[in-house]
Amino acid sequence: MSSSQHANPLNLRFSAGGHSFMDFDGRDRMGGWIIPQDIYHQPQNYNPLPTVRFTINGRLGIKLADAVDPKFRELDNPQLVPRLTETAGRITIRIQWPGYDLWSDVLHIYDHGYDVNPHNMQKLAKLIAQKVRVFLDDFRAEPSTHTNDDSWWLEKYPFDRLVLLELRHVSLGSWQPVLMALP
C-alpha cells in the first residue's frame, strides 16, 4: 500500500477552497475523515462561544445513528447544558457540504414542556443528528451542482457512516456541526 493510500483510505479529494476546521489533522482515532466545510460567516462582530465537543469515554465523536437511538446512553456528560446563545431561544444550524449550496435550519434550544429547560448534551446530539438527516434528505437525490468532483457527493455518505465531533459557533446565532465520515 502506498503512503498516499494509507493517508487517504477513502481516496478523497479536498477542495482548494479551504477546510473550515484546520485544527483537525483529517483523521481521528475512529479512522474517518473530516468533512471539509467552508466556514459560514456574516459580516458582523460577535463573541464566539466555546465549541461544544461530543465525546464517549473521552474519545471525540458520536455516530449520528447512536445520537438518535433512544437507548444510547454512553455520551460523556449527557446532562451537561452547553451555552449556545446569550440572548435567543434558538440558533441556526448551518452545513456547507463541499459542492453543495449552504443549508440551514433553526434549532430551538429549549424543551417546551411544563418546564422550559435548555437542551442538554444528549438531547443536543440527537437534535443535531436529526438536522443532518434532514440536510441529507434535502440534497441526497441531486449530485453536486458546484463541481464535477464526485468525492463528496452525498449519495456516498449514508447517515450511519457519519459522526458528530463538535458544534462550532461560527457567526452570531449560527453554529456548524463538525462531521466526520467513516470508511
Side-chain angles (χ1 to χ4, degrees), residues 20-135:
S20 62
F21 308 114
M22 291 305 293
D23 54 343
F24 286 103
D25 66 1
R27 288 187 61 81
D28 184 72
R29 285 178 266 168
M30 291 176 122
W33 289 91
I34 307 299
I35 306 299
Q37 300 181 63
D38 288 331
I39 296 174
Y40 173 83
H41 66 278
Q42 295 175 331
Q44 62 190 32
N45 292 330
Y46 77 107
N47 293 323
L49 295 172
T51 296
V52 178
R53 292 180 173 238
F54 298 89
T55 60
I56 298 171
N57 296 322
R59 190 172 97 186
L60 188 61
I62 179 173
K63 293 178 183 177
L64 296 182
D66 288 340
V68 297
D69 182 350
K71 296 177 186 164
F72 185 82
R73 297 282 180 239
E74 296 177 33
L75 188 66
D76 294 344
N77 302 311
Q79 298 307 316
L80 179 73
V81 175
R83 194 167 123 217
L84 299 174
T85 181
E86 294 180 345
T87 57
R90 63 185 183 180
I91 60 172
T92 301
I93 301 300
R94 300 187 185 277
I95 299 174
Q96 293 200 236
W97 195 281
Y100 291 84
D101 291 330
L102 169 67
W103 179 92
S104 63
D105 200 4
V106 170
L107 175 72
H108 294 275
I109 62 169
Y110 295 99
D111 273 329
H112 294 289
Y114 291 111
D115 296 322
V116 177
N117 296 314
H119 294 310
N120 61 33
M121 292 291 287
Q122 187 80 34
K123 180 72 179 232
L124 182 61
K126 176 182 178 180
L127 293 171
I128 298 299
Q130 289 172 338
K131 295 295 183 186
V132 172
R133 182 179 274 159
V134 170
F135 160 76

Side-chain angles (χ1 to χ4, degrees), residues 129-163:
Q130 289 172 338
K131 295 295 183 186
V132 172
R133 182 179 274 159
V134 170
F135 160 76
L136 293 171
D137 290 346
D138 285 352
F139 285 103
R140 187 171 311 278
E142 57 188 79
S144 169
T145 58
H146 301 290
T147 180
N148 290 330
D149 179 2
D150 67 354
S151 297
W152 294 106
W153 284 5
L154 290 173
E155 65 188 24
K156 295 182 175 191
Y157 299 93
F159 182 78
D160 62 356
R161 281 189 35 221
L162 296 176
V163 175

